[in-house]
Amino acid sequence: MRLVILDDYDLASEWAAKYIRNKIIEFQPSAERCFTLGLPTGSTPYGCYQKLIEYYRSGDMSFKYVTTFNMDEYVGLPRAHPESYHSYMWNNFFKHIDIDPANAHVLDGNAEDLEAECRAYEQKITEAGGIELFVGGIGPDGHIAFNEPGSSLVSRTRVKTLAKDTIVANARFFGNNLSKVPTMALTVGVGTVMDAKEVMILITGAHKAFALYKAIEEGVNHMWTVSAFQQHPCTNFVCDEDATLELRVKTVKYFKGLMHVHNKLVDPVLSIKDQ
């Protein structure tokens, strides 16, 4: 596990985008061997997506041979609804890059058989060779995707009822009208994300500070599902200074010290295009 601490949201977004860019370039994807990337939605990854669009437009990278799997989608919200995660991804990312639409996978919250849709999604991930890098964000209660507190840490893609705190947090996207916020979603499971070769979790803002504390300073706990990634062999938690407010000073100094040493040796952000 690695904690990467940047000064602010913009720098955290840039670090994450460069990490993704460099991983794709190093992989050397082709028509026969696509790079498979797991992606989140929400306000936290927005800056990262904007930087990736910049890298594509400047010719630094291509998404032609990248296959993506999104974490989740609301149940019952039309795909064309401005707050569906399908709309979010196309409006904020996919339509600005050269990804093949057939390679951009988002769960269908309007499928006739939701459980069959979830099983098929897991099968598609398997057929794609698994996820090389799964990027995620978290809620203030430490949930990743829609794996709410109390979720199984070995869960797979499934239908999930949303917690009241999540509905309240997402109301801002629905005119602060709680009655308009969907109460159910399809989500990849904690186990689904744990199967990825690498995981990168973006955590920014003071309102996520207690969740970051629970994620790395306390033990694995299904009430804070993000804590499961302490046990993943290759997890990067990427955060800004505000998100570290609940961490012990010793913890912050320890990880900043590791960053300093690592940057002198070989920083993935400074590799390939930046050297």
Side-chain angles (χ1 to χ4, degrees):
M1 186 192 78
R2 181 183 180 199
L3 178 63
V4 179
I5 304 169
L6 288 307
D7 287 346
D8 55 33
Y9 172 82
D10 289 339
L11 289 175
S13 298
E14 182 178 13
W15 195 99
K18 285 183 175 179
Y19 192 88
I20 295 168
R21 178 197 68 183
N22 292 349
K23 285 293 177 180
I24 293 172
I25 294 172
E26 288 170 357
F27 189 83
Q28 298 182 333
S30 65
E32 294 75 32
R33 184 172 174 264
C34 285
F35 184 92
T36 309
L37 180 64
L39 294 174
T41 54
S43 54
T44 303
Y46 178 80
C48 175
Y49 291 150
Q50 294 305 297
K51 295 301 294 186
L52 287 171
I53 291 168
E54 282 183 30
Y55 301 151
Y56 162 69
R57 288 177 173 169
S58 66
D60 283 356
M61 67 180 302
S62 170
F63 292 88
K64 185 176 181 180
Y65 299 123
V66 173
T67 298
T68 64
F69 287 91
N70 263 81
M71 284 190 148
D72 41 29
E73 178 59 286
Y74 289 119
V75 168
L77 205 62
R79 284 180 68 175
H81 190 286
E83 296 305 330
S84 77
Y85 291 158
H86 182 275
S87 291
Y88 173 98
M89 291 306 300
W90 283 98
N91 293 333
N92 294 310
F93 191 40
F94 292 152
K95 75 178 184 181
H96 304 288
I97 58 176
D98 62 341
I99 193 168
D100 181 346
N103 289 341
H105 302 284
V106 182
L107 283 155
D108 182 1
N110 293 288
E112 185 174 337
D113 186 335
L114 295 176
E115 291 185 1
E117 169 68 9
C118 294
R119 290 193 297 271
Y121 205 67
E122 288 278 345
Q123 184 61 33
K124 288 177 185 175
I125 292 174
T126 299
E127 291 172 355
I131 307 290
E132 291 292 326
L133 172 62
F134 220 131
V135 184
I138 65 168
D141 61 0
H143 73 258
I144 185 163
F146 276 129
N147 293 286
E148 303 282 32
S151 293
S152 166
L153 301 185
V154 294
S155 54
R156 313 304 301 186
T157 303
R158 67 206 187 284
V159 185
K160 197 80 176 74
T161 301
L162 303 185
K164 178 68 179 296
D165 286 350
T166 300
I167 293 171
V168 170
N170 289 349
R172 68 189 190 276
F173 301 118
F174 294 86
N176 289 313
N177 187 337
L178 289 177
S179 66
K180 292 184 178 180
V181 184
T183 58
M184 298 181 71
L186 303 185
T187 180
V188 296
V190 178
T192 310
V193 183
M194 285 286 286
D195 282 349
K197 290 179 181 149
E198 289 191 53
V199 177
M200 178 166 64
I201 299 172
L202 312 179
I203 306 174
T204 58
H207 62 301
K208 303 284 182 73
F210 192 68
L212 178 60
Y213 157 70
K214 287 287 187 177
I216 69 169
E217 286 197 347
E218 292 203 348
V220 175
N221 186 336
H222 68 175
M223 295 306 292
W224 297 84
T225 52
V226 68
S227 67
F229 297 94
Q230 293 177 22
Q231 297 186 318
H232 192 280
C234 189
T235 296
N236 282 312
F237 289 94
V238 182
C239 69
D240 60 6
E241 284 284 352
D242 285 348
T244 69
L245 292 177
E246 296 284 349
L247 297 181
R248 298 181 180 90
V249 172
K250 184 177 181 179
T251 300
V252 173
K253 286 186 175 181
Y254 171 75
F255 282 107
K256 283 187 173 181
L258 286 183
M259 282 178 61
H260 180 72
V261 172
H262 192 268
N263 289 348
K264 283 187 173 182
L265 296 174
V266 52
D267 192 324
V269 170
L270 298 177
S271 65
I272 306 173
K273 290 286 183 180
D274 296 317
Q275 287 186 348

